[in-house]
Amino acid sequence: MMRILSVVEESVVDGPGIRTVIFTAGCPHHCKGCHNPSSWNPAGGEEVEVEELVQRVKLSGWDGVTISGGEPFLQSSALAKLVTACKSLGKNVWVYTGYTLEQLEAMHDEAIQTVLDYADVLVDGRYEQSLRDMGLRFRGSSNQRIIFLNKV
């Protein structure tokens, strides 16, 4: 099961091309100026089977899927299942996180490592309102990085 707020079937702002975007529930970062503060509550949204999310991604027909939040890594086991299943469908997978890549790696969590092994792109770092830059593609503040992983 994965706790999600919503699924957007057609997005062009959360990665390249037209994508399915899954917004997870729960976020410990509480970034000032967050565009999605309703995602902070870990009990918000609804619980959905990972397989149901995979079927929605499959039926969408889009090349890509983006998992955002909230903080997707709060549900690392379900996230790993979702990412690996989407990759098995041939989807391009982006994951947004308020953690840095280095912080995620330091957690030494098998599920987190699976996500990092299978996701194509990680957009990392907390949103910093003082570093907001509307000219950036696919991120809100200049401290956030777009990291191409492509390990699998």
Side-chain angles (χ1 to χ4, degrees):
M1 296 292 275
M2 183 170 236
R3 185 159 287 278
I4 66 163
L5 289 178
S6 64
V7 177
V8 175
E9 302 290 346
E10 296 180 35
S11 173
V12 295
V13 298
D14 298 297
I18 302 173
R19 311 178 72 76
T20 301
V21 182
I22 299 166
F23 290 95
T24 63
C27 185
H29 306 299
H30 299 185
C31 302
K32 183 178 180 181
C34 174
H35 79 284
N36 197 9
S38 64
S39 70
W40 294 356
N41 182 356
E46 63 179 322
E47 285 196 352
V48 178
E49 293 286 345
V50 171
E51 184 55 39
E52 180 181 332
L53 294 171
V54 173
Q55 287 304 311
R56 288 184 75 173
V57 168
K58 184 177 182 179
L59 292 173
S60 76
W62 307 126
D63 293 332
V65 61
T66 297
I67 301 118
S68 189
E71 174 53 65
F73 284 96
L74 287 182
Q75 303 178 67
S76 62
S77 294
L79 178 62
K81 291 175 187 170
L82 178 61
V83 168
T84 56
C86 289
K87 284 305 293 180
S88 73
L89 296 173
K91 302 297 181 184
N92 172 266
V93 178
W94 282 42
V95 180
Y96 280 74
T97 180
Y99 295 110
T100 64
L101 174 60
E102 294 79 11
Q103 288 171 321
L104 291 170
E105 291 173 335
M107 292 178 189
H108 302 289
D109 179 284
E110 187 175 328
I112 290 172
Q113 191 57 54
T114 297
V115 173
L116 297 176
D117 287 343
Y118 281 82
D120 294 290
V121 173
L122 183 75
V123 181
D124 80 341
R126 293 172 48 113
Y127 171 73
E128 297 289 341
Q129 191 170 28
S130 65
L131 299 175
R132 180 180 182 193
D133 183 342
M134 295 298 290
L136 296 172
R137 287 190 79 196
F138 309 129
R139 59 198 196 277
S141 59
S142 61
N143 63 299
Q144 295 172 308
R145 303 177 297 180
I146 297 175
I147 301 169
F148 293 88
L149 300 170
N150 291 316
K151 293 179 184 174
V152 173

